[in-house]
């Protein structure tokens, strides 16, 4: 039931985004809501692992998240200041967008970590290519 509710919110979010785009008010809040829903959807998948494995996965995910946030902040600062010639941006709108992007990125990292853990590599045969073949 929880997964169906999260998927319903995930499908409802673009509709709210389009209404907000048309009206001009709720766009940034919708980005943050999309990130939270996306993160919660994949956070639920971590319940199938034991506590020790979840802890190591989350440490790996958080280290990747911090490095990507550093790159994203430098890139976005460069784009906003250089190309759009904006020295100031609205703080609240920016916080909503940054929060939504961070939560979406964390959800994607959780998704990839869960998929990587589910893959069983014990029966995989590796074929190495030699220069003569």
């Amino acid at each position: 039931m929880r997964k169906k509710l999260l998927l319903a919110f995930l499908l409802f979010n673009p509709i709210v985004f389009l209404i907000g785009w048309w009206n001009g008010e709720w766009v940034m809040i919708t980005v943050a809501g999309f990130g939270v829903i996306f993160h919660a959807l994949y956070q639920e998948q971590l319940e199938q692992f034991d506590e020790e494995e979840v802890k190591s996965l989350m440490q790996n995910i958080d280290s990747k998240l911090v490095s990507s946030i550093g790159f994203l902040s430098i890139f976005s600062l460069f784009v906003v200041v250089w190309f759009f010639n904006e020295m100031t941006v609205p703080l609240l709108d920016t916080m909503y967008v940054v929060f939504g992007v961070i939560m979406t990125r964390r959800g994607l990292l959780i998704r990839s970590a869960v998929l990587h853990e589910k893959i069983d590599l014990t029966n995989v045969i590796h074929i190495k290519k030699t220069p003569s073949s």
Side-chain angles (χ1 to χ4, degrees), residues 44-100:
E44 184 179 322
Q45 292 183 358
L46 288 176
E47 295 173 358
Q48 61 188 338
F49 300 115
D50 60 347
E51 185 178 332
E52 204 172 286
E53 196 170 358
V54 169
K55 195 175 192 179
S56 68
L57 282 174
M58 291 308 291
Q59 286 176 347
N60 189 16
I61 288 167
D62 289 340
S63 68
K64 287 180 182 179
L65 183 67
V66 167
S67 65
S68 64
I69 287 173
F71 173 74
L72 181 67
S73 64
I74 291 170
F75 179 74
S76 62
L77 180 70
F78 177 74
V79 167
V80 167
V81 171
W82 187 265
F83 290 112
F84 295 118
N85 200 16
E86 291 287 329
M87 294 300 162
T88 61
V89 291
L91 181 63
L92 190 59
D93 292 343
T94 306
M95 286 176 26
Y96 282 135
V97 170
V98 167
F99 181 70

Side-chain angles (χ1 to χ4, degrees), residues 38-39 42 102-112:
F38 202 75
H39 177 264
Y42 289 114
I102 288 172
M103 294 304 278
T104 304
R105 176 72 177 144
R106 192 164 191 220
L108 287 172
L109 288 172
I110 290 172
R111 178 180 175 261
S112 66

